Amino acid sequence: MAILLDPDKTTINKLSSISKKIDAIQANFIFVGGSYVENGITDLFVNELKQHTNIPIILFPGDYSQITNNADALLFLSLLSGRNPEYLIEQQIKSVPFLKNSTLEVIPTGYILIDGGTNSSVLKISKTTPIAQNNIELAVATAIAGMYKGKQLIYLEAGSGARTAVNLQLISEVKKNIHIPLIVGGGIRSKKQLNQAFENGADLVVIGTAFEENNDILNH
Ligand code: 1GP
């Protein structure tokens, strides 16, 4: 499981106590990123986080300004469900001057938005339309196309704070059709939902909002 920390919502002075909670639930990764993170903050945030935990820190950036060498790896996202060139290739090009001198592990990731029932930040910022929860055929085809394009991961995203998490049948159909790891996130609010996502084929499940609201959510 990965815990997502959004530097816009979590203050740096809380990272010491939050890291202890994340260590205690034995998260495999900490994702760091958000849609509205101020310039320069990610660098300070990850630097501080590194003082308190040894869990690998993976950047999950809303835009290229959120990349810092202090992390361990970067999800190099392409928003494959959308048709906005800014998030298919422009942001990626803008990140190159930084990345070519960095030691970050860069992981090509096909990012696929599924309708989570809310107008999430990622939809507002990317100005794209998500794939309907019942359009399994399109979600599967998009994931396979991502794999053929050479992505090393597929990320099914219902959007942070989604009312409806990615449905289990969709997770399972996508998983059956790809042979690269599958990440699922958005709207997962309980241990039960977390386990169901794993049982249906997710290799990694990301939890942000539910952990932010209650650091003990996964202890029950
Ligand atoms: C969002 O998938 C992540 O990018 C996590 O979503 O905040 O709803 O857990 P939540």
Side-chain angles (χ1 to χ4, degrees):
M1 166 231 323
I3 294 294
L4 170 66
L5 297 179
D6 180 343
D8 187 41
K9 296 180 184 155
T10 304
T11 51
I12 288 183
N13 59 17
K14 289 205 178 126
L15 287 178
S16 155
S17 64
I18 286 179
S19 300
K20 289 194 185 86
K21 303 268 186 181
I22 300 178
D23 281 344
I25 56 176
Q26 297 181 319
N28 304 94
F29 301 100
I30 299 174
F31 282 12
V32 173
S35 295
Y36 303 100
V37 183
E38 222 180 291
N39 233 330
I41 295 294
T42 307
D43 197 45
L44 298 173
F45 192 92
V46 173
N47 197 28
E48 178 68 18
L49 202 49
K50 277 278 177 202
Q51 315 298 315
H52 303 289
T53 181
N54 292 321
I55 296 176
I57 298 173
I58 317 293
L59 298 173
F60 174 52
D63 68 65
Y64 77 100
S65 72
Q66 295 174 30
I67 302 178
T68 163
N69 228 2
N70 291 331
D72 297 290
L74 163 72
L75 296 186
F76 197 66
L77 303 165
S78 295
L79 182 50
L80 300 181
S81 54
R83 300 295 177 266
N84 181 350
E86 183 66 27
Y87 293 95
L88 277 166
I89 187 64
E90 295 287 350
Q91 284 284 324
Q92 291 79 351
I93 292 172
K94 288 173 189 162
S95 71
V96 168
F98 179 86
L99 285 179
K100 68 178 189 187
N101 297 315
S102 115
T103 51
L104 280 172
E105 182 187 356
V106 177
I107 308 170
T109 303
Y111 192 44
I112 301 178
L113 301 183
I114 306 296
D115 187 2
T118 47
N119 191 12
S120 62
S121 307
V122 62
L123 290 181
K124 283 184 217 150
I125 298 247
S126 68
K127 300 189 183 74
T128 62
T129 310
I131 295 176
Q133 291 267 0
N134 61 5
N135 199 344
I136 290 178
E137 204 180 334
L138 178 59
V140 168
T142 306
I144 296 175
M147 181 175 70
Y148 290 160
K149 279 167 72 70
K151 303 302 177 200
Q152 290 174 10
L153 289 175
I154 295 295
Y155 190 142
L156 293 175
E157 167 75 274
S160 191
R163 201 173 299 143
T164 318
V166 179
N167 84 64
L168 299 176
Q169 194 195 348
L170 197 153
I171 296 174
S172 136
E173 289 300 324
V174 167
K175 179 63 186 177
K176 270 188 233 159
N177 282 281
I178 58 174
H179 51 70
I180 50 177
L182 178 62
I183 304 181
V184 175
I188 294 176
R189 297 183 169 274
S190 66
K191 205 162 187 177
K192 182 176 171 203
Q193 274 182 299
L194 174 92
N195 290 336
Q196 284 174 331
F198 279 124
E199 283 156 18
N200 281 274
D203 295 291
L204 185 66
V205 178
V206 185
I207 302 211
T209 309
F211 180 80
E212 222 170 75
E213 290 173 358
N214 173 7
N215 289 173
D216 297 312
I217 185 89
L218 297 170
N219 294 331
H220 310 299

